Structure formats: structure tokens, C-alpha cells
Amino acid sequence: MNGAALTAMSLDQLPRNQWATVVDVALPEAADDRELVLRLTEIGFVPGEAVRIVATGVPGREPLAVRLGHTTFALRRHEASFIRVMPGAAQHG
């Protein structure tokens, strides 16, 4: 693997249909964003989970249709930017 493949990125930057593994969810300073991050972790965006972007809206690639386990979520790019992922996933279904 090259160095680029080993670099974590935010989920909103992940190319479509590429599997990734959630590394962490950033803790933002703004109170509204902290509540958003809490909701993201409550629905399953936690370290070790396999995710991929299965579709994007037009224009501007928003919203993102994100597959997590057997569920697909629609996330705004702002929401997805808090989720840090590592490209590649050991297990996905």
C-alpha cells in the first residue's frame, strides 16, 4: 500500500463506492455540531465500522447516501465531514 492509502480522511472526501473504516468522529466546538456528532455515533458511526458512499446528489454531491452495515443514511456533506475514515475495510456486507 502506498502512503496515500494509509491516510485518514473525512467521509465527505471519500470517493463514491470505495469502502472505508470509521476511525473516529471529531468533537467540534459548536454546541449544535456536538449534538450532531452525538447523533452520528448513536446511529452507528463508530470506530471499526465499514462505510461507503453509494450515491451523491446533484448538484454539489449533496446529500451523500452512505451505507453503514445494512442501512443507508442520507448525510449532508457538513455532517459527513466530522466522520474520519481510513480507505479500505476488512469486513463489509
Side-chain angles (χ1 to χ4, degrees), residues 9-20:
M9 64 177 63
S10 59
L11 179 58
D12 65 311
Q13 298 298 312
L14 186 69
R16 187 171 168 218
N17 289 321
Q18 179 177 343
W19 283 101

Side-chain angles (χ1 to χ4, degrees), residues 3-90:
L6 299 175
T7 303
M9 64 177 63
S10 59
L11 179 58
D12 65 311
Q13 298 298 312
L14 186 69
R16 187 171 168 218
N17 289 321
Q18 179 177 343
W19 283 101
T21 302
V22 175
V23 176
D24 67 5
V25 181
L27 183 60
E29 291 185 24
D32 289 347
D33 287 338
R34 283 194 301 267
E35 291 177 21
L36 165 66
V37 165
L38 177 60
R39 287 193 307 270
L40 290 172
T41 57
E42 287 174 341
I43 62 175
F45 289 94
V46 295
E49 288 296 319
V51 297
R52 72 181 169 120
I53 297 173
V54 295
T56 58
V58 180
R61 290 190 63 217
E62 192 160 32
L64 304 173
V66 179
R67 186 79 171 170
L68 176 74
H70 297 286
T71 306
T72 302
F73 296 95
L75 297 179
R76 295 175 297 175
R77 294 181 67 72
H78 175 74
E79 295 165 335
S81 72
F82 292 109
I83 302 167
R84 302 287 299 164
V85 299
M86 184 73 68

